[in-house]
Short mmCIF file of all heavy atoms in Angstrom, two decimals:
data_model
loop_
_atom_site.label_atom_id
_atom_site.label_comp_id
_atom_site.label_asym_id
_atom_site.label_seq_id
_atom_site.Cartn_x
_atom_site.Cartn_y
_atom_site.Cartn_z
N LEU N 1 3.52 -0.39 3.89
CA LEU N 1 2.83 -0.19 5.15
C LEU N 1 1.71 -1.07 5.46
O LEU N 1 0.91 -1.54 4.54
CB LEU N 1 2.06 1.28 4.94
CG LEU N 1 0.99 1.72 6.03
CD1 LEU N 1 1.53 1.89 7.39
CD2 LEU N 1 0.28 2.95 5.59
N MET N 2 1.72 -1.53 6.67
CA MET N 2 0.65 -2.45 7.19
C MET N 2 0.21 -1.85 8.43
O MET N 2 1.00 -1.53 9.31
CB MET N 2 1.21 -3.90 7.29
CG MET N 2 0.05 -4.81 7.72
SD MET N 2 0.59 -6.38 7.51
CE MET N 2 0.90 -7.49 8.11
N CYS N 3 -1.09 -1.75 8.49
CA CYS N 3 -1.60 -0.98 9.67
C CYS N 3 -2.94 -1.49 10.09
O CYS N 3 -3.63 -2.13 9.31
CB CYS N 3 -1.65 0.45 9.56
SG CYS N 3 -2.75 1.02 8.33
N SER N 4 -3.43 -1.12 11.22
CA SER N 4 -4.67 -1.49 11.77
C SER N 4 -5.60 -0.35 11.49
O SER N 4 -5.35 0.71 10.98
CB SER N 4 -4.66 -1.70 13.37
OG SER N 4 -4.38 -0.42 13.89
N ASP N 5 -7.04 -0.61 11.59
CA ASP N 5 -7.99 0.39 11.37
C ASP N 5 -7.93 1.61 12.37
O ASP N 5 -8.61 2.61 12.21
CB ASP N 5 -9.32 -0.28 11.36
CG ASP N 5 -9.84 -0.84 12.50
OD1 ASP N 5 -8.91 -0.98 13.45
OD2 ASP N 5 -10.94 -1.18 12.72
N GLY N 6 -7.16 1.33 13.37
CA GLY N 6 -6.89 2.40 14.35
C GLY N 6 -6.16 3.65 13.71
O GLY N 6 -6.41 4.87 14.09
N LEU N 7 -5.38 3.27 12.51
CA LEU N 7 -4.84 4.36 11.78
C LEU N 7 -5.74 4.77 10.72
O LEU N 7 -5.98 6.04 10.66
CB LEU N 7 -3.47 3.88 11.20
CG LEU N 7 -2.81 5.01 10.34
CD1 LEU N 7 -2.26 6.07 11.12
CD2 LEU N 7 -1.60 4.18 9.66
N THR N 8 -6.24 3.85 9.87
CA THR N 8 -6.95 4.26 8.74
C THR N 8 -8.47 4.90 9.05
O THR N 8 -8.86 5.65 8.19
CB THR N 8 -7.16 3.05 7.79
OG1 THR N 8 -7.88 1.91 8.59
CG2 THR N 8 -5.76 2.58 7.31
N ASP N 9 -8.96 4.57 10.24
CA ASP N 9 -10.18 5.21 10.52
C ASP N 9 -9.94 6.70 11.07
O ASP N 9 -10.91 7.43 11.07
CB ASP N 9 -10.82 4.45 11.75
CG ASP N 9 -11.56 3.21 11.24
OD1 ASP N 9 -11.52 3.02 9.95
OD2 ASP N 9 -11.97 2.36 12.02
N MET N 10 -8.78 7.04 11.48
CA MET N 10 -8.58 8.34 12.01
C MET N 10 -8.01 9.32 11.06
O MET N 10 -7.99 10.55 11.11
CB MET N 10 -7.66 8.29 13.32
CG MET N 10 -8.35 7.50 14.46
SD MET N 10 -9.43 8.36 15.31
CE MET N 10 -11.00 7.85 14.67
N VAL N 11 -7.11 8.76 10.15
CA VAL N 11 -6.17 9.66 9.24
C VAL N 11 -6.55 9.35 7.82
O VAL N 11 -6.73 8.19 7.36
CB VAL N 11 -4.60 9.26 9.42
CG1 VAL N 11 -3.88 10.23 8.56
CG2 VAL N 11 -4.35 9.41 10.89
N ASP N 12 -6.76 10.38 7.10
CA ASP N 12 -7.19 10.23 5.60
C ASP N 12 -6.07 9.62 4.81
O ASP N 12 -4.95 9.70 5.11
CB ASP N 12 -7.32 11.64 5.04
CG ASP N 12 -7.74 11.72 3.59
OD1 ASP N 12 -8.87 11.32 3.21
OD2 ASP N 12 -6.87 12.08 2.83
N ASP N 13 -6.48 8.71 3.80
CA ASP N 13 -5.61 7.90 3.04
C ASP N 13 -4.50 8.71 2.31
O ASP N 13 -3.42 8.42 2.32
CB ASP N 13 -6.42 7.23 2.02
CG ASP N 13 -7.12 5.98 2.53
OD1 ASP N 13 -6.98 5.63 3.72
OD2 ASP N 13 -7.94 5.37 1.74
N GLY N 14 -4.93 10.03 1.90
CA GLY N 14 -4.09 10.90 1.18
C GLY N 14 -2.91 11.34 2.21
O GLY N 14 -1.94 11.47 1.80
N ASP N 15 -3.34 11.70 3.43
CA ASP N 15 -2.29 12.12 4.45
C ASP N 15 -1.38 10.93 4.81
O ASP N 15 -0.28 11.11 4.90
CB ASP N 15 -3.11 12.60 5.76
CG ASP N 15 -3.79 13.81 5.44
OD1 ASP N 15 -3.41 14.59 4.45
OD2 ASP N 15 -4.87 14.12 6.23
N ILE N 16 -2.00 9.87 4.92
CA ILE N 16 -1.07 8.58 5.24
C ILE N 16 0.02 8.50 4.07
O ILE N 16 1.17 8.32 4.27
CB ILE N 16 -1.91 7.41 5.36
CG1 ILE N 16 -2.72 7.34 6.60
CG2 ILE N 16 -0.95 6.01 5.32
CD1 ILE N 16 -3.70 6.21 6.79
N ALA N 17 -0.56 8.48 2.83
CA ALA N 17 0.37 8.40 1.74
C ALA N 17 1.50 9.44 1.72
O ALA N 17 2.62 9.08 1.48
CB ALA N 17 -0.39 8.35 0.37
N ASP N 18 1.13 10.72 2.01
CA ASP N 18 2.17 11.82 2.11
C ASP N 18 3.10 11.52 3.11
O ASP N 18 4.35 11.71 2.92
CB ASP N 18 1.39 13.07 2.25
CG ASP N 18 0.55 13.52 1.20
OD1 ASP N 18 0.76 13.11 0.04
OD2 ASP N 18 -0.29 14.39 1.47
N MET N 19 2.72 11.10 4.31
CA MET N 19 3.70 10.79 5.31
C MET N 19 4.59 9.66 5.06
O MET N 19 5.78 9.64 5.19
CB MET N 19 2.92 10.43 6.62
CG MET N 19 2.37 11.63 7.36
SD MET N 19 1.62 11.23 8.91
CE MET N 19 0.08 11.81 8.67
N VAL N 20 4.12 8.57 4.27
CA VAL N 20 4.82 7.42 4.06
C VAL N 20 5.92 7.67 2.88
O VAL N 20 7.01 7.14 2.96
CB VAL N 20 3.96 6.14 3.61
CG1 VAL N 20 4.77 5.07 2.99
CG2 VAL N 20 3.16 5.75 4.77
N ARG N 21 5.61 8.70 2.01
CA ARG N 21 6.55 9.04 0.94
C ARG N 21 7.70 10.02 1.44
O ARG N 21 8.65 10.24 0.62
CB ARG N 21 5.69 9.74 -0.18
CG ARG N 21 4.78 8.79 -0.87
CD ARG N 21 4.20 9.52 -2.17
NE ARG N 21 3.17 8.61 -2.80
CZ ARG N 21 1.82 8.88 -2.89
NH1 ARG N 21 1.43 10.03 -2.38
NH2 ARG N 21 1.12 8.02 -3.41
N ARG N 22 7.70 10.61 2.58
CA ARG N 22 8.62 11.43 3.01
C ARG N 22 9.93 10.68 3.30
O ARG N 22 10.06 9.52 3.75
CB ARG N 22 8.25 12.01 4.23
CG ARG N 22 7.17 12.98 4.27
CD ARG N 22 6.73 13.59 5.59
NE ARG N 22 5.52 14.36 5.47
CZ ARG N 22 4.78 14.56 6.57
NH1 ARG N 22 5.03 14.23 7.71
NH2 ARG N 22 3.72 15.39 6.38
N PRO N 23 11.12 11.23 2.75
CA PRO N 23 12.41 10.74 2.90
C PRO N 23 12.93 10.77 4.36
O PRO N 23 13.87 11.47 4.63
CB PRO N 23 13.28 11.42 1.87
CG PRO N 23 12.63 12.92 1.89
CD PRO N 23 11.20 12.63 2.22
N VAL N 24 12.33 10.21 5.33
CA VAL N 24 12.68 10.15 6.73
C VAL N 24 12.90 8.73 7.25
O VAL N 24 12.20 7.84 6.50
CB VAL N 24 11.74 10.99 7.62
CG1 VAL N 24 11.72 12.52 7.23
CG2 VAL N 24 10.35 10.38 7.63
N PRO N 25 13.54 8.46 8.20
CA PRO N 25 13.65 7.09 8.82
C PRO N 25 12.35 6.48 9.19
O PRO N 25 11.25 7.16 9.43
CB PRO N 25 14.40 7.26 10.14
CG PRO N 25 15.27 8.54 9.89
CD PRO N 25 14.20 9.57 9.06
N LEU N 26 12.22 5.18 8.96
CA LEU N 26 10.93 4.49 9.14
C LEU N 26 10.31 4.71 10.55
O LEU N 26 9.22 4.83 10.74
CB LEU N 26 11.11 3.05 8.99
CG LEU N 26 11.42 2.56 7.49
CD1 LEU N 26 11.48 1.29 7.22
CD2 LEU N 26 10.35 3.23 6.33
N GLU N 27 11.22 4.65 11.53
CA GLU N 27 10.73 4.94 12.92
C GLU N 27 10.15 6.28 13.12
O GLU N 27 9.05 6.37 13.73
CB GLU N 27 12.01 4.92 13.91
CG GLU N 27 12.67 3.50 14.03
CD GLU N 27 13.70 3.41 12.86
OE1 GLU N 27 13.98 4.22 12.05
OE2 GLU N 27 14.30 2.22 12.84
N GLU N 28 10.59 7.23 12.45
CA GLU N 28 10.07 8.60 12.59
C GLU N 28 8.78 8.61 11.78
O GLU N 28 7.82 9.27 12.35
CB GLU N 28 10.99 9.61 11.89
CG GLU N 28 10.47 11.09 12.12
CD GLU N 28 11.57 12.09 11.65
OE1 GLU N 28 12.88 11.77 11.64
OE2 GLU N 28 11.20 13.12 11.11
N THR N 29 8.62 8.00 10.60
CA THR N 29 7.45 8.02 9.93
C THR N 29 6.34 7.23 10.65
O THR N 29 5.22 7.62 10.75
CB THR N 29 7.67 7.20 8.56
OG1 THR N 29 8.58 7.92 7.84
CG2 THR N 29 6.35 7.00 7.79
N ALA N 30 6.67 6.12 11.33
CA ALA N 30 5.76 5.32 12.17
C ALA N 30 5.25 6.25 13.38
O ALA N 30 4.06 6.29 13.65
CB ALA N 30 6.36 4.20 12.77
N ALA N 31 6.11 6.94 14.02
CA ALA N 31 5.64 7.90 15.15
C ALA N 31 4.81 8.82 14.61
O ALA N 31 3.86 9.27 15.18
CB ALA N 31 7.00 8.37 15.75
N HIS N 32 5.11 9.48 13.32
CA HIS N 32 4.20 10.61 12.80
C HIS N 32 2.84 10.04 12.56
O HIS N 32 1.80 10.60 12.82
CB HIS N 32 4.86 11.15 11.62
CG HIS N 32 6.06 12.08 11.92
ND1 HIS N 32 6.82 12.57 10.93
CD2 HIS N 32 6.39 12.73 13.02
CE1 HIS N 32 7.74 13.35 11.49
NE2 HIS N 32 7.49 13.47 12.78
N LEU N 33 2.80 8.85 11.94
CA LEU N 33 1.40 8.13 11.57
C LEU N 33 0.61 7.90 12.90
O LEU N 33 -0.50 8.35 13.04
CB LEU N 33 1.77 6.97 10.89
CG LEU N 33 2.20 6.91 9.53
CD1 LEU N 33 2.64 5.62 9.10
CD2 LEU N 33 1.08 7.53 8.63
N ILE N 34 1.33 7.43 14.04
CA ILE N 34 0.52 7.18 15.22
C ILE N 34 0.12 8.43 15.93
O ILE N 34 -0.91 8.59 16.39
CB ILE N 34 1.53 6.23 16.18
CG1 ILE N 34 1.62 4.86 15.55
CG2 ILE N 34 0.95 6.21 17.61
CD1 ILE N 34 2.64 4.02 16.18
N GLY N 35 1.03 9.43 15.82
CA GLY N 35 0.81 10.79 16.40
C GLY N 35 -0.40 11.49 15.72
O GLY N 35 -1.25 12.04 16.39
N ALA N 36 -0.54 11.30 14.37
CA ALA N 36 -1.58 11.86 13.61
C ALA N 36 -2.98 11.11 14.03
O ALA N 36 -3.96 11.76 14.28
CB ALA N 36 -1.27 11.64 12.12
N ALA N 37 -2.85 9.86 14.21
CA ALA N 37 -4.14 9.04 14.48
C ALA N 37 -4.67 9.56 15.92
O ALA N 37 -5.72 9.71 16.17
CB ALA N 37 -3.84 7.60 14.50
N ASN N 38 -3.73 9.62 16.82
CA ASN N 38 -3.98 10.21 18.24
C ASN N 38 -4.53 11.60 18.17
O ASN N 38 -5.41 11.93 18.94
CB ASN N 38 -2.81 9.90 19.09
CG ASN N 38 -2.62 8.49 19.59
OD1 ASN N 38 -3.56 7.83 19.86
ND2 ASN N 38 -1.26 8.08 19.69
N ALA N 39 -3.90 12.46 17.35
CA ALA N 39 -4.37 13.76 17.25
C ALA N 39 -5.72 14.00 16.79
O ALA N 39 -6.53 14.84 17.07
CB ALA N 39 -3.45 14.67 16.44
N TYR N 40 -6.22 13.04 15.91
CA TYR N 40 -7.50 12.98 15.27
C TYR N 40 -8.57 12.17 16.05
O TYR N 40 -9.55 11.99 15.66
CB TYR N 40 -7.57 12.41 13.86
CG TYR N 40 -6.89 13.43 12.89
CD1 TYR N 40 -5.78 13.08 12.14
CD2 TYR N 40 -7.37 14.71 12.68
CE1 TYR N 40 -5.16 13.89 11.21
CE2 TYR N 40 -6.82 15.59 11.73
CZ TYR N 40 -5.80 15.12 11.00
OH TYR N 40 -5.19 16.05 10.27
N GLY N 41 -8.10 11.90 17.34
CA GLY N 41 -9.10 11.18 18.18
C GLY N 41 -8.62 9.90 18.83
O GLY N 41 -8.90 9.57 19.87
N GLY N 42 -7.89 9.21 17.97
CA GLY N 42 -7.24 7.88 18.49
C GLY N 42 -8.24 6.95 19.22
O GLY N 42 -8.03 6.56 20.34
N ARG N 43 -9.36 6.69 18.65
CA ARG N 43 -10.42 5.98 19.37
C ARG N 43 -10.17 4.51 19.42
O ARG N 43 -11.07 3.72 19.93
CB ARG N 43 -11.82 6.34 18.59
CG ARG N 43 -12.22 7.57 18.77
CD ARG N 43 -13.73 7.79 18.11
NE ARG N 43 -13.81 7.30 16.84
CZ ARG N 43 -13.87 8.24 15.78
NH1 ARG N 43 -13.72 9.51 15.95
NH2 ARG N 43 -13.87 7.65 14.56
N ASP N 44 -9.11 3.99 18.65
CA ASP N 44 -8.89 2.54 18.78
C ASP N 44 -7.43 2.36 18.83
O ASP N 44 -6.62 3.22 18.66
CB ASP N 44 -9.44 2.06 17.40
CG ASP N 44 -9.68 0.59 17.36
OD1 ASP N 44 -9.32 -0.17 18.30
OD2 ASP N 44 -10.09 -0.07 16.37
N ASN N 45 -7.13 1.05 18.99
CA ASN N 45 -5.66 0.70 19.00
C ASN N 45 -5.03 1.05 17.67
O ASN N 45 -5.67 0.80 16.64
CB ASN N 45 -5.45 -0.84 19.28
CG ASN N 45 -5.99 -1.23 20.70
OD1 ASN N 45 -5.90 -0.33 21.57
ND2 ASN N 45 -6.34 -2.39 20.84
N ILE N 46 -3.80 1.48 17.68
CA ILE N 46 -3.12 1.94 16.54
C ILE N 46 -1.93 1.12 16.28
O ILE N 46 -0.93 1.13 17.15
CB ILE N 46 -2.68 3.37 16.57
CG1 ILE N 46 -3.97 4.22 16.79
CG2 ILE N 46 -2.07 3.79 15.22
CD1 ILE N 46 -3.69 5.60 17.46
N SER N 47 -1.79 0.34 15.29
CA SER N 47 -0.71 -0.46 14.98
C SER N 47 -0.09 -0.13 13.59
O SER N 47 -0.89 0.00 12.61
CB SER N 47 -1.05 -2.01 14.92
OG SER N 47 -1.55 -2.40 16.15
N VAL N 48 1.15 0.00 13.53
CA VAL N 48 1.84 0.46 12.16
C VAL N 48 3.07 -0.46 11.99
O VAL N 48 3.88 -0.67 12.83
CB VAL N 48 2.23 1.98 12.34
CG1 VAL N 48 2.95 2.20 11.01
CG2 VAL N 48 0.97 2.84 12.41
N LEU N 49 3.18 -0.94 10.84
CA LEU N 49 4.35 -1.79 10.41
C LEU N 49 4.87 -1.11 9.06
O LEU N 49 4.06 -1.08 8.15
CB LEU N 49 4.03 -3.21 10.29
CG LEU N 49 5.14 -4.11 9.73
CD1 LEU N 49 6.27 -4.19 10.62
CD2 LEU N 49 4.61 -5.47 9.41
N LEU N 50 6.12 -0.70 9.05
CA LEU N 50 6.56 -0.13 7.79
C LEU N 50 7.79 -1.04 7.40
O LEU N 50 8.78 -1.26 8.23
CB LEU N 50 7.10 1.32 7.98
CG LEU N 50 5.96 2.36 8.33
CD1 LEU N 50 6.49 3.55 8.72
CD2 LEU N 50 5.20 2.62 7.14
N VAL N 51 7.98 -1.32 6.18
CA VAL N 51 9.13 -1.96 5.61
C VAL N 51 9.59 -1.38 4.36
O VAL N 51 8.79 -0.97 3.51
CB VAL N 51 8.67 -3.54 5.24
CG1 VAL N 51 9.77 -4.21 4.65
CG2 VAL N 51 8.16 -4.15 6.54
N GLN N 52 10.85 -1.18 4.32
CA GLN N 52 11.44 -0.60 3.15
C GLN N 52 12.29 -1.60 2.32
O GLN N 52 13.22 -2.28 3.00
CB GLN N 52 12.26 0.66 3.32
CG GLN N 52 12.85 1.24 2.23
CD GLN N 52 13.67 2.62 2.58
OE1 GLN N 52 13.57 3.01 3.78
NE2 GLN N 52 14.09 3.28 1.64
N ALA N 53 12.02 -1.94 1.10
CA ALA N 53 12.69 -2.80 0.24
C ALA N 53 13.50 -2.09 -0.69
O ALA N 53 13.04 -1.03 -1.29
CB ALA N 53 11.80 -3.75 -0.28
N SER N 54 14.65 -2.62 -1.21
CA SER N 54 15.42 -2.07 -2.28
C SER N 54 15.93 -3.24 -3.02
O SER N 54 16.24 -4.27 -2.63
CB SER N 54 16.55 -1.20 -1.78
OG SER N 54 17.43 -1.87 -0.88
N ALA N 55 16.20 -2.95 -4.28
CA ALA N 55 16.76 -3.93 -5.26
C ALA N 55 18.13 -4.15 -5.00
O ALA N 55 18.86 -3.14 -4.79
CB ALA N 55 16.46 -3.55 -6.82
N ALA N 56 18.74 -5.35 -5.03
CA ALA N 56 20.07 -5.64 -4.84
C ALA N 56 20.70 -5.19 -6.16
O ALA N 56 20.24 -5.20 -7.31
CB ALA N 56 20.18 -7.12 -4.65
N PRO N 57 21.93 -4.63 -6.09
CA PRO N 57 22.68 -4.26 -7.19
C PRO N 57 22.90 -5.47 -8.13
O PRO N 57 23.01 -6.63 -7.80
CB PRO N 57 24.02 -3.77 -6.68
CG PRO N 57 24.12 -4.38 -5.20
CD PRO N 57 22.76 -4.62 -4.82
N GLY N 58 23.08 -5.23 -9.49
CA GLY N 58 23.36 -6.22 -10.48
C GLY N 58 22.02 -6.64 -11.12
O GLY N 58 20.98 -6.01 -11.03
N LYS N 59 22.10 -7.64 -11.91
CA LYS N 59 21.18 -8.16 -12.80
C LYS N 59 20.11 -8.92 -11.87
O LYS N 59 20.39 -9.83 -11.06
CB LYS N 59 21.60 -9.07 -13.83
CG LYS N 59 20.60 -9.66 -14.74
CD LYS N 59 21.14 -10.61 -15.79
CE LYS N 59 20.06 -11.27 -16.66
NZ LYS N 59 20.63 -12.08 -17.59
N ARG N 60 18.79 -8.46 -12.08
CA ARG N 60 17.75 -9.23 -11.49
C ARG N 60 17.13 -10.36 -12.23
O ARG N 60 16.89 -10.12 -13.44
CB ARG N 60 16.60 -8.25 -11.05
CG ARG N 60 17.10 -7.20 -9.97
CD ARG N 60 16.02 -6.40 -9.63
NE ARG N 60 14.96 -7.29 -8.98
CZ ARG N 60 13.78 -6.80 -8.61
NH1 ARG N 60 13.45 -5.53 -8.99
NH2 ARG N 60 12.89 -7.57 -8.28
N ARG N 61 16.96 -11.49 -11.62
CA ARG N 61 16.41 -12.61 -12.37
C ARG N 61 14.99 -12.88 -11.99
O ARG N 61 14.62 -12.78 -10.68
CB ARG N 61 17.23 -13.85 -12.05
CG ARG N 61 18.66 -13.73 -12.70
CD ARG N 61 19.48 -14.88 -12.36
NE ARG N 61 18.81 -16.20 -12.50
CZ ARG N 61 19.30 -17.34 -11.80
NH1 ARG N 61 20.39 -17.18 -11.22
NH2 ARG N 61 18.56 -18.41 -11.92
N GLY N 62 14.00 -13.22 -12.86
CA GLY N 62 12.73 -13.48 -12.56
C GLY N 62 12.52 -14.89 -11.75
O GLY N 62 13.44 -15.64 -11.71
N LEU N 63 11.39 -15.13 -11.31
CA LEU N 63 11.06 -16.28 -10.48
C LEU N 63 11.40 -17.57 -11.33
O LEU N 63 12.10 -18.45 -10.95
CB LEU N 63 9.65 -16.28 -9.92
CG LEU N 63 9.32 -17.53 -9.34
CD1 LEU N 63 10.02 -17.85 -8.18
CD2 LEU N 63 7.82 -17.55 -9.01
N MET N 64 10.82 -17.60 -12.63
CA MET N 64 10.93 -18.78 -13.43
C MET N 64 12.41 -19.03 -13.80
O MET N 64 12.86 -20.25 -13.77
CB MET N 64 10.09 -18.59 -14.74
CG MET N 64 8.61 -18.47 -14.39
SD MET N 64 7.95 -19.79 -13.36
CE MET N 64 8.16 -21.30 -14.31
N SER N 65 13.25 -18.11 -14.14
CA SER N 65 14.52 -18.39 -14.45
C SER N 65 15.35 -18.83 -13.16
O SER N 65 16.31 -19.58 -13.44
CB SER N 65 15.19 -17.01 -15.00
OG SER N 65 15.40 -16.07 -14.10
N ARG N 66 15.00 -18.45 -12.03
CA ARG N 66 15.62 -18.96 -10.83
C ARG N 66 15.28 -20.29 -10.65
O ARG N 66 16.05 -21.21 -10.30
CB ARG N 66 15.36 -18.04 -9.58
CG ARG N 66 16.07 -16.65 -9.66
CD ARG N 66 15.90 -15.98 -8.33
NE ARG N 66 14.66 -15.92 -7.80
CZ ARG N 66 13.72 -14.97 -7.92
NH1 ARG N 66 13.89 -13.85 -8.54
NH2 ARG N 66 12.48 -15.00 -7.22
N LEU N 67 13.91 -20.66 -10.79
CA LEU N 67 13.57 -21.93 -10.68
C LEU N 67 14.12 -23.01 -11.68
O LEU N 67 14.52 -24.12 -11.21
CB LEU N 67 12.01 -22.08 -10.82
CG LEU N 67 11.16 -21.43 -9.61
CD1 LEU N 67 9.69 -21.46 -9.94
CD2 LEU N 67 11.48 -22.15 -8.24
N TRP N 68 14.31 -22.58 -12.90
CA TRP N 68 14.76 -23.43 -13.90
C TRP N 68 16.39 -23.36 -14.06
O TRP N 68 16.74 -23.95 -14.94
CB TRP N 68 14.09 -23.02 -15.35
CG TRP N 68 12.65 -23.53 -15.21
CD1 TRP N 68 11.69 -22.56 -15.16
CD2 TRP N 68 12.12 -24.68 -15.20
NE1 TRP N 68 10.44 -23.37 -14.96
CE2 TRP N 68 10.66 -24.59 -15.13
CE3 TRP N 68 12.64 -26.14 -15.33
CZ2 TRP N 68 9.81 -25.67 -15.23
CZ3 TRP N 68 11.74 -27.16 -15.30
CH2 TRP N 68 10.38 -26.99 -15.25
N GLY N 69 17.02 -22.42 -13.32
CA GLY N 69 18.48 -22.39 -13.29
C GLY N 69 18.93 -21.75 -14.57
O GLY N 69 20.12 -21.82 -15.00
N GLN N 70 18.16 -20.87 -15.16
CA GLN N 70 18.70 -20.08 -16.31
C GLN N 70 19.32 -18.76 -15.96
O GLN N 70 19.05 -18.27 -14.88
CB GLN N 70 17.45 -19.80 -17.23
CG GLN N 70 16.77 -21.04 -17.83
CD GLN N 70 15.49 -20.76 -18.49
OE1 GLN N 70 15.05 -19.57 -18.55
NE2 GLN N 70 14.94 -21.84 -19.02
N ALA N 71 20.14 -18.41 -16.67
CA ALA N 71 20.97 -17.13 -16.43
C ALA N 71 20.07 -15.91 -16.57
O ALA N 71 19.12 -15.92 -17.15
CB ALA N 71 22.26 -16.93 -17.38
#
């Protein structure tokens, strides 16, 4: 989650964390976060960026082993 203070000033950190942890599509989560900020007053611009990363299947190599060409 990357967001502006328009979200964090309006919505409690615990509530934000709860919303982000829900197993719903990112678009829906972003809409809920923005909706919550607006419901609590929405006194500032509200920007939300959500990114979900997952590990690729198979063996993961560390940075140094990739740089040095080690298996």
Side-chain angles (χ1 to χ4, degrees):
L1 166 68
M2 185 161 111
C3 64
S4 66
D5 61 349
L7 176 66
T8 58
D9 285 350
M10 298 283 99
V11 183
D12 180 70
D13 291 348
D15 292 338
I16 292 172
D18 289 343
M19 285 186 240
V20 170
R21 289 185 185 120
R22 291 180 188 156
V24 297
L26 295 181
E27 295 86 359
E28 187 176 328
T29 300
H32 285 164
L33 290 166
I34 293 167
N38 281 322
Y40 288 121
R43 293 187 304 259
D44 198 358
N45 294 334
I46 305 160
S47 299
V48 173
L49 173 66
L50 294 168
V51 177
Q52 183 174 357
S54 60
K59 183 179 175 184
R60 294 186 59 196
R61 294 174 41 200
L63 174 63
M64 295 309 292
S65 65
R66 290 192 313 265
L67 289 174
W68 293 104
Q70 299 171 356

